[in-house]
Amino acid sequence: MTKYRKKLIEVALPLEAINKESAREKSIRHGHPSTLHLWWARRPLAACRAVLFSSLVNDPEDDPMYGVDEDVAYTERAKLFDLITELVKWENSNNPRVINAARLEIARSIAANKVADKELQDDTPLVVNAPELPEEQAKYLPAPPPEYTPREVRFKMPSLTAEQVNHFLAHYAPPVLDPFAGGGSIPLEAQRLGLRAYASDLNPVPVLINKALIEIPPKFGGQPPVNPDAREGKLKSAEWHGAQGLAEDVRYYGKWMRDEAEKRIGHLYPKVKVSEEMAADRPDLGSHVGKELTVIAWIWARTVKSPNPAVAGVAVPLLKSFTLSKKKGNEAYIQPIVDVEQRTYRFVVNHGKTPTDFNGTVDRRGARCLLSNAVIPFDHVREAGKRKDLGQKLLAIVADGSPGRVYLSPSEPHESVALQVAKFAGPDTQLPEKALGFRVQNYGMTMHADLFSKRQLAALSTFSELVNEVQHQIAKDANGDMNYAEAVATYLAFAVGRSADKWAALTVWNSVGEKVEHVFGRNALSMTWDFPEGNPFSGSTGNWTSAVEWCARAVENAMRQCVVGDVRQCPAQTVSSIPSAVISTDPPYYDNVPYADLSDFFYVWLRLCLQSAYPELLSTMLVPKAEELIAEPCRHGGRENARDFFEQGMISTFQNSRNITESSVPATIYYAFKQAESSEGDTSSTGWETFLEGLIQSDWSITGTWPMRTERAGRLRGQGSNALASSIILVCRPRSDAASIVTRRDFANALRKELPEAVKHLQSGNVAPVDLAQASIGPGMAVFSRYKQVVNADGSPMSVREALQMINQVLDEALNEQEADFDAETRFAVRWFEQYGMTDGPFGDAETLSKAMAVSVQGIMEAGIVHSKSGKVRLLKRDELNANWNPATDRRCTIWECTQHLIRRLEADGESAAAQLLADIQQTKGSEAGEVARELAYRLYSTCERKNRAADALSYNGLVVSWPEIGKLAHAMRDRPHTQQQEMF
């Protein structure tokens, strides 16, 4: 096999720190790149940053700088863990101290390897020998820095500047390629780490997103804005760092577009005047009488003609809820006023909580007629939709009360203005007949234009036209620089895309947050019965200025001091012109998300805005679909054909990636599990197996798997599922061409020899028990995938599913084997816990088990871990254990007690108290006792997961997760005099 130096990601990761920051990132909004424009299943930046960094730095145990000294390696690995823990924090995204430290560490590993491999000489000036960069990227680099050498990089000489490190990485670090670039998280983080970033995607929408993130900002970094206000000195800033000048121009020309649009279509968005009559029965409106308020949103319901003959021909409303606001002190609801005899109805808005019997007119079973209460089957509604016979009825008006929302009854003039809007030229494109996650076609929505009301089409068409118009004005202000004009226009087009997500007839009104929720709350186009229509010219939810500001802040927070990225449109199978690239990618997930069909929702508007700027990229009416690598049964004539298409496409992509990969750096591939793919702890699924089969058939060897969780659930089962519901990072190396064919027995023997040690290594790296099964797949599949083929006894090749099952079996064996480290009393407690948990069991069973463990029930009682009475035996619960337990005075101190007391201290008094106890345990029973106590926590977590003992499992998982901090504090306490330790409490 080819010898390579292991990277950190192939040995250990501070997984909990990465997962914590990945989950936290979801709550970070302003300035986050994800707020530039929506893309589905976008990976957290924190995870991508950690994965790339740990893929490029040597594991200290396999680093030419440190040799094989285990103590040095352990210390250096801990330093890398500390750096990653800082690196993944959002606050440090542009922190020069942290980013430069990470870049220096990457440069140091590369320099150490190149010197060791005789590719560079330690004292050769690097400026002289720098290889050529592509012209498009090189022209944006700063001037070469003063001479420096690999020796300086390797040993982190104080004289080494950030400029020198950036220069070294730009020239000597391998480029990073993401052939499924999607939302751009991976290329963006490669650029953040000082690496050349290449992004490609078949779909024009992510291509544009990636251009906006990694191509455009570095090109115009440090430039002042060109708008008239800036030229006239009206802006405060004297210096323009990064893309700040570009962001200011996005704001300025976005405001110009708003003002121009208001001149053209402002009359379609009238204000509402609060009259005394309106306030007669509404004390809450008293302060607004006589005022003209800006409307935030108009709330509409779709209507269908009732099938009941008694009210035949009357269009009745379809709505899920009469509630407008649940905000405390500003509750409001819609009250229907029905006149059955006249066959009419109207709506009034009342202040206060919604009456309990106001349940809307639509639920999961169907609808009901507001006039007659007759059932309206969904089939009736669908047929009406297909005849274009669904209407709209205004339910309420939401106005800006400055501060707060004001809820008003519908107004006939407001309804008429919206329904009588002249037709605007919107997108003339068809929705797919059938597609994953699409339901709206069943209700007659067959064109993209059908997803919007007439007024929404007017607004989006107007702003799209203005994106085209504003480019000429920007170019004029930029002294004819059309490239800059197109750059600014790209971000303004994204503001149109963001607006489409809020200005569609498929949005919903959030009665808690009092705002318009966007269309894509999930990866689907779902039907809505009642919907809010936002006002582009308001100052509140879903307005144009807000969309522009989101984009501007994302630009403003763009990379600094980085090489210009390279973004291309092409299928992942065909990327071939970037040799020796680090492959890191987030491929489509089998049949999870129909990216192409969904992205047409945005593409039709982006094309209207930017076709002149990107004529080749936006040449097709809709995004390409035939080559999209998802298992879409509707496109391929059934599930089997779709599965074959996906598998063959992935094999082709992985083979192509293998041909261009940088051999010294592992590839990293993200795979996202759906929660439904993990059942009863099983780690197999059609998508997961197909994915692994594709990798292995493409001659890749899997050397690691890391679960990256971006959320947590309260229940254990949910927590276990969510460990699979985010991403599994597969770490891969090209398999040796000399790989052999072996038997199932050979594979099993190799697995039993190597996996237990790998599991111990993962535990020493503090992988949480909830993640251990998934993380163990890596070393297990490393054994399986190193062979060209594993052959079963009947001559058939072993499948991935069979391999996964064997890996799970050997993992259980490995955890059971760790019992050899436990004392007899603890082994008894483990077995008893498996069978009875914390409940009573027969004394006879306890006596039989204790003899097998070479201990007596009486001895176990003396150890203080069981209670025996009336022929029954049970383990003592943690709160029954001696609260003043001291390992130094316990004559029969067991590992079971150590683990239980550590959990008790941690949950009751925190990490410091647990650390003090750990220090006492280590002083009494030896430094290895703590590690054995942690091994027991892993073992008991595994039992709890199998037995569905949620509360106990969370406690064992919590101890392991907190172990690094507990261990660090305990180490410090052991080094202090005892009196100082006492003073801490």
Side-chain angles (χ1 to χ4, degrees), residues 632-689:
E632 168 60 281
C634 301
R635 285 186 205 154
H636 301 289
R639 292 194 175 278
E640 286 301 314
N641 289 344
R643 182 185 186 280
D644 291 344
F645 170 80
F646 179 82
E647 183 171 333
Q648 290 307 310
M650 281 299 170
I651 289 173
S652 177
T653 299
F654 294 146
Q655 286 175 338
N656 181 62
S657 297
R658 188 181 186 278
N659 293 335
I660 62 176
T661 190
E662 164 60 40
S663 60
S664 66
V665 181
T668 47
I669 303 171
Y670 296 67
Y671 180 81
F673 270 94
K674 293 184 290 187
Q675 288 187 7
E677 289 184 319
S678 174
S679 175
E680 297 303 317
D682 192 9
T683 53
S684 61
S685 72
T686 302
W688 178 226
E689 291 166 17

Side-chain angles (χ1 to χ4, degrees), residues 927-940:
S927 59
E928 74 285 347
E931 295 304 315
V932 179
R934 182 171 63 165
E935 282 182 9
L936 177 60
Y938 277 105
R939 179 74 177 83
L940 295 178

Side-chain angles (χ1 to χ4, degrees), residues 15 48 55 58 60 392 453 484-485 498 503 661 938 980:
L15 203 56
C48 298
S55 300
N58 298 331
Q392 287 179 221
S453 70
Y484 186 77
R498 285 187 60 93
W503 301 350
T661 190
Y938 277 105
Q980 284 184 271

